Amino acid sequence: MIEVLFQHIQEKVSLSDLDKEAIKTFFIPKKLRKRQYLLQEGDVCKHLTFIAKGLLRTYNVDDKGDEHMSVFGWEGWWLSDFNSFLSGEQAVFNIDAIEDSELLLISRENYEALTLTVPVMDRYFRILYQNSIVTKERRLMSSITHSAEEKYVKLAESNPKMIERVPQNLIASYLGIAPETLSRIKKSLAMKK
């Protein structure tokens, strides 16, 4: 699992062998079975989670019991309820496994120690946070300015892995549309080809 993390880190920054040895000491491996929770709303998020293998989702549930997808993460992604992780407040998101998954967890204390012990990791995480902000801004603008069909087409073009691996009802929730609407969109797009 740790090799997947090293590969991901080295796509952003360079690591020495000493850096790698130090990094190993800060993470805890964890396996999740399909549908098993990593975090439940109301708990405090105690870890940042790197996905070495598998597929997870971050979502919340409204008063009517409807799920609202926030993020899907697969190999090479980080997931967390970041506000809860940083502040110690109760989580507003649930995180569970869509597929059997292998994870690497780092606690807040270890995260802080890691960035001090291996300074290049501070730059790595800064790059991730910057990319995350840009992605969230684009998603927000898309949700405001695009039709349901345009949102689906953009998602399919930019993230075919999500379309292949995530169940359609969860894709619909992620796009903020009804599953029936997504079915109609897909049928309409198929007829245009």
Side-chain angles (χ1 to χ4, degrees), residues 171-190:
I171 297 274
S173 174
Y174 180 78
L175 294 172
I177 61 178
E180 300 80 18
T181 302
L182 180 57
S183 291
R184 281 194 299 273
I185 289 168
K186 289 176 70 176
K187 187 175 182 179
S188 171
L189 291 171

Side-chain angles (χ1 to χ4, degrees), residues 128-143:
L128 293 183
Y129 298 143
Q130 290 170 343
N131 291 343
S132 177
I133 290 167
V134 169
T135 300
K136 287 182 181 190
E137 285 179 351
R138 287 183 180 155
R139 182 167 177 221
L140 176 62
M141 285 307 299
S142 178
S143 72

Side-chain angles (χ1 to χ4, degrees), residues 40-161:
Q40 289 186 279
E41 181 180 353
D43 293 343
V44 174
C45 182
K46 297 185 180 188
H47 298 94
L48 284 178
T49 301
F50 179 80
I51 304 168
K53 181 181 177 189
L55 177 63
L56 279 71
R57 65 180 178 147
T58 301
Y59 64 99
N60 64 3
V61 181
D62 66 22
D63 293 339
K64 297 176 188 173
D66 294 327
E67 294 180 354
H68 301 279
M69 296 306 122
S70 174
V71 177
F72 296 102
W74 46 81
E75 295 82 7
W77 282 59
W78 290 87
L79 283 183
S80 180
D81 182 314
F82 289 102
N83 181 58
S84 178
F85 177 76
L86 295 173
S87 70
E89 296 174 4
Q90 290 183 339
V92 297
F93 293 108
N94 297 291
I95 302 176
D96 66 16
I98 297 173
E99 300 172 357
D100 289 350
S101 300
E102 296 178 6
L103 315 170
L104 292 169
L105 280 55
I106 187 166
S107 68
R108 174 77 190 267
E109 297 77 22
N110 280 351
Y111 170 82
E112 297 294 340
L114 172 63
T115 58
L116 293 173
T117 305
V118 185
V120 72
M121 290 301 292
D122 194 49
R123 182 167 185 264
Y124 166 74
F125 282 114
R126 183 174 43 81
I127 291 167
L128 293 183
Y129 298 143
Q130 290 170 343
N131 291 343
S132 177
I133 290 167
V134 169
T135 300
K136 287 182 181 190
E137 285 179 351
R138 287 183 180 155
R139 182 167 177 221
L140 176 62
M141 285 307 299
S142 178
S143 72
I144 294 169
T145 60
H146 294 105
S147 69
E149 183 174 319
E150 290 169 330
K151 286 191 270 189
Y152 177 75
V153 168
K154 284 190 175 292
L155 180 65
E157 289 172 352
S158 67
N159 211 330
K161 185 184 283 190

